[in-house]
Amino acid sequence: MAKIKAIRGMNDILPDQTPVWQYLEAQVKAVLRGYGYSEVRMPMVEQTDLFKRSIGEVTDIVEKEMYTFEDRNGDSLTLRPEGTASCVRACEEHGLIFNQSQRLWYMGPMFRHERPQKGRYRQFHQIGVETFGMQGPDIDAELIIMTARLWRQLGLEQSVTLHLNTLGSAEARARFKADLVAYLSTRRDQLDEDSQRRLETNPLRILDSKEARTQELLNDAPHFHDYLDDESRQHFERLCALLDRAGIKYQINARLVRGLDYYCKTVFEWVTDQLGAQGTVCAGGRYDGLVEQLGGRATPAVGFAMGVERLILLLETLDAVPADVRQQVDVYAMAMGDEAFARMLVLVEQLRDETGLRVQLHCGGGSFKSQMKKADKSGADYALILGDDELQRGVVALKPLRSGEEQVLVEMTSLVDKMSGLSAAE
Ligand code: ATP
Ligand code: MG
């Protein structure tokens, strides 16, 4: 019978990969903890209308990327394509937004029906951060400074650049949009096919078209920053000043518009040139209108999401994963014979109790040679060996596997002491 395979674009993350994921997640969590952010966990499925109303009907996501289905009650449900809408829904539903400020994060899978390629999958993972109730550029700056710290922590700071823009107020955007459409409509035949379609549906998206010809055409188009309202201009200038003070470098990129409808004022992306076309590893911005759009009271909000797969690809491309991350055990314990095994089973429990070492006990028997092979493959620094001979003498053989040092015999009664010394010395 033909074997059933995973769905295209939905990846298994296998045991040789999960240590890198855990490393990245732990680093992110530590940074978030350092800034006082709290975790929130939302369901992976929501009513389809939530995404239609927030992301926008004429965006790529809603037009062609959502996994939407009818459940048994006939309700239209969608696998979440992103986290912001769900997060706003959850916070509104539980009264976490009105009259208070929030700093939140979440992580988990998102689903988009895109063409799978390197750095682009149908189930992918985001770590998202959302803040509510703070209207000034202070919090925008904090979010950016926090991500910059993460890049430093991960050794990625030389490989990512910050692109920054402001989308102004809804009114400013509308005035700009009208003039942009007027300008481009007279040059319609020079636009690429996608951009022609967007001229009717979502003209601002034309600004981040990847077509060189379209980009050229835009050089003489109306310039958004000429339309900016005073409040947004001041907000943006203050943000830039704060980033300057904090020593954060950025490029102002007037063509950065982001793919979702709900953004206003600040938008930013951290981009790398190491991953080909899928170079954005973290993206976000301000969405002051979204809470109200979803039925709540007007609430300022700003957030971002990181693409976990892309960050992992980047870590691996740069060889920036610390060597010990993939090491899962410190000690590999093996025993030859039933009685020796029973003794070892108790010894390794003691070791785990008292030293904090990660100890893998060989199970399944086999010759000394085959057990040694497993010990080597485990990545452990030490093997502990107990055979009949050692058992009778009340000792265990401790064999360094990496340092080239000689094997020594240790009294069983002093094994914990001896091994504690080893783990402390590391
Ligand atoms: P792109 O322009 O690459 O399609 P996007 O603007 O659609 O990105 P967002 O919705 O802003 O992406 O999501 C935030 C981040 O999530 C992206 O910057 C990226 O790192 C990651 N991401 C988005 N879509 C995918 C995907 N299909 N596969 C893997 N990562 C993704
Ligand atoms: Mg996309």
Side-chain angles (χ1 to χ4, degrees):
M1 222 193 312
K3 282 187 187 158
I4 295 173
K5 293 214 169 132
I7 296 165
R8 206 163 97 84
M10 303 206 178
N11 301 317
D12 298 305
I13 302 156
L14 299 174
D16 65 337
Q17 275 287 308
T18 47
V20 184
W21 282 68
Q22 289 168 357
Y23 162 70
L24 175 63
E25 289 164 4
Q27 295 285 320
V28 178
K29 283 185 199 173
V31 169
L32 287 163
R33 201 174 323 120
Y35 288 74
Y37 284 65
S38 313
E39 187 182 6
V40 51
R41 301 186 184 191
M42 298 88 64
M44 260 173 268
V45 187
E46 299 271 1
Q47 302 209 27
T48 303
D49 277 347
L50 176 68
F51 303 115
K52 284 195 177 165
R53 271 164 63 182
S54 56
I55 297 168
E57 296 262 7
V58 292
T59 54
D60 283 351
I61 294 181
V62 173
E63 273 185 337
K64 49 189 190 204
E65 295 175 0
M66 293 207 302
Y67 280 91
T68 297
F69 59 97
E70 243 182 42
D71 81 350
R72 287 171 192 278
N73 306 327
D75 298 328
S76 179
L77 306 183
T78 295
L79 298 184
R80 64 179 185 195
E82 54 108 50
T84 304
S86 306
C87 186
V88 169
R89 198 260 321 125
C91 288
E92 260 302 296
E93 197 166 326
H94 301 284
L96 301 184
I97 292 185
F98 180 59
N99 242 349
Q100 51 196 313
S101 62
Q102 291 288 353
R103 286 173 160 90
L104 302 171
W105 66 270
Y106 50 82
M107 77 168 74
M110 306 294 161
F111 304 84
R112 298 184 193 176
H113 197 273
E114 305 195 69
R115 192 169 67 78
Q117 54 198 291
K118 183 181 167 196
R120 193 177 292 287
Y121 312 102
R122 290 182 172 172
Q123 173 174 325
F124 63 99
H125 296 74
Q126 285 185 341
I127 300 173
V129 172
E130 316 289 352
T131 71
F132 299 102
M134 293 160 277
Q135 63 181 15
D138 47 2
I139 184 69
D140 303 18
E142 174 176 291
L143 289 179
I144 289 172
I145 290 168
M146 185 165 77
T147 47
R149 173 183 294 274
L150 177 65
W151 312 142
R152 284 199 306 280
Q153 211 106 305
L154 292 168
L156 299 178
E157 74 272 31
Q158 302 298 330
S159 312
V160 290
T161 345
L162 174 61
H163 292 236
L164 196 60
N165 193 22
T166 176
L167 299 179
S169 64
E171 299 77 48
R173 257 192 333 276
R175 279 188 289 118
F176 169 65
K177 209 192 266 185
D179 286 1
L180 181 71
V181 170
Y183 170 87
L184 290 175
S185 296
T186 59
R187 295 158 180 86
R188 197 191 159 86
D189 50 338
Q190 297 171 54
L191 287 172
D192 61 276
E193 209 175 298
D194 258 354
S195 298
Q196 289 191 10
R197 194 173 47 83
R198 285 181 174 148
L199 200 51
E200 271 93 54
T201 58
N202 197 350
L204 290 186
R205 283 304 305 278
I206 298 174
L207 295 185
D208 69 5
S209 161
K210 304 224 156 56
E211 295 286 328
R213 222 161 30 109
T214 300
Q215 281 299 331
E216 213 167 292
L217 199 60
L218 287 167
N219 286 335
D220 299 319
H223 198 265
F224 180 63
H225 285 193
D226 297 333
Y227 293 73
L228 210 54
D229 52 296
D230 284 345
E231 195 198 320
S232 299
R233 185 188 307 281
Q234 280 162 18
H235 186 106
F236 192 60
E237 281 168 1
R238 176 74 180 148
L239 170 61
C240 292
L242 288 172
L243 293 177
D244 291 338
R245 282 288 285 276
I248 306 278
K249 293 201 184 66
Y250 53 88
Q251 287 175 18
I252 296 179
N253 176 356
R255 304 234 167 126
L256 179 66
V257 291
R258 313 278 305 112
L260 293 73
D261 270 2
Y262 51 58
Y263 288 108
C264 65
K265 289 186 179 158
T266 311
V267 288
F268 66 92
E269 288 190 356
W270 287 95
V271 183
T272 178
D273 58 9
Q274 307 275 320
L275 297 179
Q278 273 60 251
T280 305
V281 293
C282 173
R286 184 162 276 279
Y287 51 96
D288 293 342
L290 183 61
V291 176
E292 196 175 15
Q293 204 174 308
L294 290 175
R297 291 198 211 204
T299 306
V302 50
F304 65 79
M306 296 180 253
V308 178
E309 281 83 354
R310 289 185 195 177
L311 282 171
I312 284 174
L313 276 170
L314 185 56
L315 285 169
E316 284 173 343
T317 305
L318 299 171
D319 223 350
V321 183
D324 61 354
V325 163
R326 288 193 171 84
Q327 187 185 349
Q328 297 286 292
V329 293
D330 303 305
V331 179
Y332 195 91
M334 42 206 261
M336 264 54 63
D338 289 348
E339 185 45 34
F341 181 87
R343 187 75 188 85
M344 188 57 107
L345 191 66
V346 175
L347 269 178
V348 291
E349 279 305 307
Q350 268 176 344
L351 274 183
R352 293 183 188 114
D353 282 344
E354 305 201 21
T355 66
L357 287 164
R358 299 168 301 175
V359 186
Q360 190 160 82
L361 172 62
H362 180 91
C363 289
S367 66
F368 174 77
K369 205 171 145 203
S370 75
Q371 294 196 32
M372 255 332 271
K373 256 194 199 152
K374 293 242 168 78
D376 235 355
K377 227 180 125 198
S378 74
D381 292 318
Y382 296 95
L384 272 182
I385 307 158
L386 190 59
D388 278 342
D389 182 41
E390 288 89 3
L391 189 62
Q392 265 161 27
R393 294 164 55 194
V395 296
V396 195
L398 173 63
K399 184 177 168 63
L401 293 172
R402 318 280 152 203
S403 65
E405 285 166 62
E406 285 297 304
Q407 167 174 322
V408 290
L409 293 176
V410 183
E411 299 279 336
M412 281 185 199
T413 46
S414 53
L415 184 65
V416 163
D417 280 351
K418 171 83 181 169
M419 299 296 284
S420 304
L422 291 175
S423 57
E426 272 177 33

PDB file of all heavy atoms in Angstrom, residues 46-55 85-89 294:
ATOM      1  N   GLU A  46     -10.269  30.019  14.007  1.00  0.00           N
ATOM      2  CA  GLU A  46     -11.157  31.117  14.378  1.00  0.00           C
ATOM      3  C   GLU A  46     -12.257  31.210  13.324  1.00  0.00           C
ATOM      4  O   GLU A  46     -12.160  30.619  12.243  1.00  0.00           O
ATOM      5  CB  GLU A  46     -10.398  32.450  14.386  1.00  0.00           C
ATOM      6  CG  GLU A  46      -9.235  32.535  15.368  1.00  0.00           C
ATOM      7  CD  GLU A  46      -9.628  33.041  16.756  1.00  0.00           C
ATOM      8  OE1 GLU A  46     -10.829  33.317  16.996  1.00  0.00           O
ATOM      9  OE2 GLU A  46      -8.724  33.146  17.606  1.00  0.00           O
ATOM     10  N   GLN A  47     -13.277  31.999  13.621  1.00  0.00           N
ATOM     11  CA  GLN A  47     -14.287  32.268  12.609  1.00  0.00           C
ATOM     12  C   GLN A  47     -13.645  33.022  11.447  1.00  0.00           C
ATOM     13  O   GLN A  47     -12.870  33.956  11.657  1.00  0.00           O
ATOM     14  CB  GLN A  47     -15.380  33.131  13.218  1.00  0.00           C
ATOM     15  CG  GLN A  47     -15.994  32.453  14.409  1.00  0.00           C
ATOM     16  CD  GLN A  47     -17.429  32.847  14.602  1.00  0.00           C
ATOM     17  OE1 GLN A  47     -18.118  33.213  13.642  1.00  0.00           O
ATOM     18  NE2 GLN A  47     -17.876  32.776  15.833  1.00  0.00           N
ATOM     19  N   THR A  48     -14.005  32.630  10.245  1.00  0.00           N
ATOM     20  CA  THR A  48     -13.408  33.230   9.047  1.00  0.00           C
ATOM     21  C   THR A  48     -13.543  34.748   9.031  1.00  0.00           C
ATOM     22  O   THR A  48     -12.620  35.459   8.628  1.00  0.00           O
ATOM     23  CB  THR A  48     -14.075  32.617   7.802  1.00  0.00           C
ATOM     24  OG1 THR A  48     -13.895  31.196   7.870  1.00  0.00           O
ATOM     25  CG2 THR A  48     -13.464  33.146   6.520  1.00  0.00           C
ATOM     26  N   ASP A  49     -14.689  35.246   9.514  1.00  0.00           N
ATOM     27  CA  ASP A  49     -14.920  36.693   9.492  1.00  0.00           C
ATOM     28  C   ASP A  49     -13.881  37.480  10.264  1.00  0.00           C
ATOM     29  O   ASP A  49     -13.597  38.629   9.945  1.00  0.00           O
ATOM     30  CB  ASP A  49     -16.310  37.006  10.070  1.00  0.00           C
ATOM     31  CG  ASP A  49     -17.375  36.838   9.000  1.00  0.00           C
ATOM     32  OD1 ASP A  49     -16.993  36.742   7.809  1.00  0.00           O
ATOM     33  OD2 ASP A  49     -18.570  36.789   9.353  1.00  0.00           O
ATOM     34  N   LEU A  50     -13.315  36.877  11.307  1.00  0.00           N
ATOM     35  CA  LEU A  50     -12.304  37.592  12.087  1.00  0.00           C
ATOM     36  C   LEU A  50     -11.158  38.036  11.178  1.00  0.00           C
ATOM     37  O   LEU A  50     -10.698  39.175  11.254  1.00  0.00           O
ATOM     38  CB  LEU A  50     -11.766  36.694  13.211  1.00  0.00           C
ATOM     39  CG  LEU A  50     -10.622  37.318  14.033  1.00  0.00           C
ATOM     40  CD1 LEU A  50     -11.121  38.497  14.858  1.00  0.00           C
ATOM     41  CD2 LEU A  50      -9.966  36.276  14.922  1.00  0.00           C
ATOM     42  N   PHE A  51     -10.708  37.139  10.314  1.00  0.00           N
ATOM     43  CA  PHE A  51      -9.575  37.480   9.447  1.00  0.00           C
ATOM     44  C   PHE A  51     -10.008  38.379   8.295  1.00  0.00           C
ATOM     45  O   PHE A  51      -9.282  39.269   7.893  1.00  0.00           O
ATOM     46  CB  PHE A  51      -8.902  36.205   8.944  1.00  0.00           C
ATOM     47  CG  PHE A  51      -8.437  35.331  10.076  1.00  0.00           C
ATOM     48  CD1 PHE A  51      -8.983  34.075  10.284  1.00  0.00           C
ATOM     49  CD2 PHE A  51      -7.474  35.786  10.966  1.00  0.00           C
ATOM     50  CE1 PHE A  51      -8.565  33.283  11.341  1.00  0.00           C
ATOM     51  CE2 PHE A  51      -7.051  35.005  12.028  1.00  0.00           C
ATOM     52  CZ  PHE A  51      -7.608  33.746  12.216  1.00  0.00           C
ATOM     53  N   LYS A  52     -11.209  38.133   7.783  1.00  0.00           N
ATOM     54  CA  LYS A  52     -11.693  38.993   6.698  1.00  0.00           C
ATOM     55  C   LYS A  52     -11.803  40.432   7.164  1.00  0.00           C
ATOM     56  O   LYS A  52     -11.430  41.356   6.467  1.00  0.00           O
ATOM     57  CB  LYS A  52     -13.066  38.510   6.214  1.00  0.00           C
ATOM     58  CG  LYS A  52     -12.992  37.281   5.347  1.00  0.00           C
ATOM     59  CD  LYS A  52     -14.311  37.097   4.614  1.00  0.00           C
ATOM     60  CE  LYS A  52     -14.231  35.917   3.673  1.00  0.00           C
ATOM     61  NZ  LYS A  52     -15.583  35.501   3.231  1.00  0.00           N
ATOM     62  N   ARG A  53     -12.330  40.606   8.371  1.00  0.00           N
ATOM     63  CA  ARG A  53     -12.551  41.961   8.868  1.00  0.00           C
ATOM     64  C   ARG A  53     -11.268  42.651   9.302  1.00  0.00           C
ATOM     65  O   ARG A  53     -11.180  43.862   9.305  1.00  0.00           O
ATOM     66  CB  ARG A  53     -13.535  41.940  10.039  1.00  0.00           C
ATOM     67  CG  ARG A  53     -14.959  42.070   9.558  1.00  0.00           C
ATOM     68  CD  ARG A  53     -15.949  41.681  10.618  1.00  0.00           C
ATOM     69  NE  ARG A  53     -15.896  42.555  11.792  1.00  0.00           N
ATOM     70  CZ  ARG A  53     -16.657  42.379  12.857  1.00  0.00           C
ATOM     71  NH1 ARG A  53     -17.498  41.369  12.913  1.00  0.00           N
ATOM     72  NH2 ARG A  53     -16.565  43.194  13.873  1.00  0.00           N
ATOM     73  N   SER A  54     -10.258  41.892   9.693  1.00  0.00           N
ATOM     74  CA  SER A  54      -9.045  42.538  10.199  1.00  0.00           C
ATOM     75  C   SER A  54      -7.960  42.657   9.134  1.00  0.00           C
ATOM     76  O   SER A  54      -7.434  43.728   8.887  1.00  0.00           O
ATOM     77  CB  SER A  54      -8.513  41.763  11.401  1.00  0.00           C
ATOM     78  OG  SER A  54      -8.295  40.410  11.051  1.00  0.00           O
ATOM     79  N   ILE A  55      -7.644  41.561   8.497  1.00  0.00           N
ATOM     80  CA  ILE A  55      -6.527  41.575   7.546  1.00  0.00           C
ATOM     81  C   ILE A  55      -6.914  42.351   6.289  1.00  0.00           C
ATOM     82  O   ILE A  55      -6.096  43.052   5.701  1.00  0.00           O
ATOM     83  CB  ILE A  55      -6.107  40.125   7.202  1.00  0.00           C
ATOM     84  CG1 ILE A  55      -5.591  39.439   8.476  1.00  0.00           C
ATOM     85  CG2 ILE A  55      -5.052  40.093   6.115  1.00  0.00           C
ATOM     86  CD1 ILE A  55      -5.413  37.941   8.346  1.00  0.00           C
ATOM     87  N   ALA A  85      -4.893  39.205  14.708  1.00  0.00           N
ATOM     88  CA  ALA A  85      -6.351  39.255  14.785  1.00  0.00           C
ATOM     89  C   ALA A  85      -6.860  38.400  15.953  1.00  0.00           C
ATOM     90  O   ALA A  85      -7.725  38.832  16.724  1.00  0.00           O
ATOM     91  CB  ALA A  85      -6.958  38.779  13.471  1.00  0.00           C
ATOM     92  N   SER A  86      -6.296  37.196  16.095  1.00  0.00           N
ATOM     93  CA  SER A  86      -6.718  36.324  17.196  1.00  0.00           C
ATOM     94  C   SER A  86      -6.398  36.948  18.547  1.00  0.00           C
ATOM     95  O   SER A  86      -7.179  36.858  19.495  1.00  0.00           O
ATOM     96  CB  SER A  86      -5.990  34.975  17.136  1.00  0.00           C
ATOM     97  OG  SER A  86      -6.158  34.377  15.891  1.00  0.00           O
ATOM     98  N   CYS A  87      -5.249  37.572  18.622  1.00  0.00           N
ATOM     99  CA  CYS A  87      -4.819  38.163  19.883  1.00  0.00           C
ATOM    100  C   CYS A  87      -5.760  39.305  20.278  1.00  0.00           C
ATOM    101  O   CYS A  87      -6.194  39.390  21.426  1.00  0.00           O
ATOM    102  CB  CYS A  87      -3.373  38.649  19.757  1.00  0.00           C
ATOM    103  SG  CYS A  87      -2.678  39.243  21.299  1.00  0.00           S
ATOM    104  N   VAL A  88      -6.112  40.135  19.309  1.00  0.00           N
ATOM    105  CA  VAL A  88      -7.049  41.222  19.589  1.00  0.00           C
ATOM    106  C   VAL A  88      -8.405  40.642  19.998  1.00  0.00           C
ATOM    107  O   VAL A  88      -9.014  41.075  20.977  1.00  0.00           O
ATOM    108  CB  VAL A  88      -7.216  42.137  18.344  1.00  0.00           C
ATOM    109  CG1 VAL A  88      -8.374  43.108  18.539  1.00  0.00           C
ATOM    110  CG2 VAL A  88      -5.923  42.899  18.079  1.00  0.00           C
ATOM    111  N   ARG A  89      -8.837  39.630  19.276  1.00  0.00           N
ATOM    112  CA  ARG A  89     -10.124  38.994  19.593  1.00  0.00           C
ATOM    113  C   ARG A  89     -10.112  38.460  21.031  1.00  0.00           C
ATOM    114  O   ARG A  89     -11.012  38.715  21.822  1.00  0.00           O
ATOM    115  CB  ARG A  89     -10.375  37.854  18.592  1.00  0.00           C
ATOM    116  CG  ARG A  89     -11.780  37.359  18.457  1.00  0.00           C
ATOM    117  CD  ARG A  89     -12.103  36.061  19.213  1.00  0.00           C
ATOM    118  NE  ARG A  89     -11.076  35.049  19.214  1.00  0.00           N
ATOM    119  CZ  ARG A  89     -10.568  34.507  20.317  1.00  0.00           C
ATOM    120  NH1 ARG A  89     -10.990  34.876  21.522  1.00  0.00           N
ATOM    121  NH2 ARG A  89      -9.625  33.582  20.251  1.00  0.00           N
ATOM    122  N   LEU A 294     -12.709  45.740  15.038  1.00  0.00           N
ATOM    123  CA  LEU A 294     -13.224  44.436  15.448  1.00  0.00           C
ATOM    124  C   LEU A 294     -14.282  44.567  16.543  1.00  0.00           C
ATOM    125  O   LEU A 294     -14.631  43.599  17.208  1.00  0.00           O
ATOM    126  CB  LEU A 294     -12.079  43.542  15.917  1.00  0.00           C
ATOM    127  CG  LEU A 294     -11.140  43.066  14.793  1.00  0.00           C
ATOM    128  CD1 LEU A 294      -9.965  42.296  15.359  1.00  0.00           C
ATOM    129  CD2 LEU A 294     -11.881  42.213  13.776  1.00  0.00           C
TER     130      LEU A 294
END
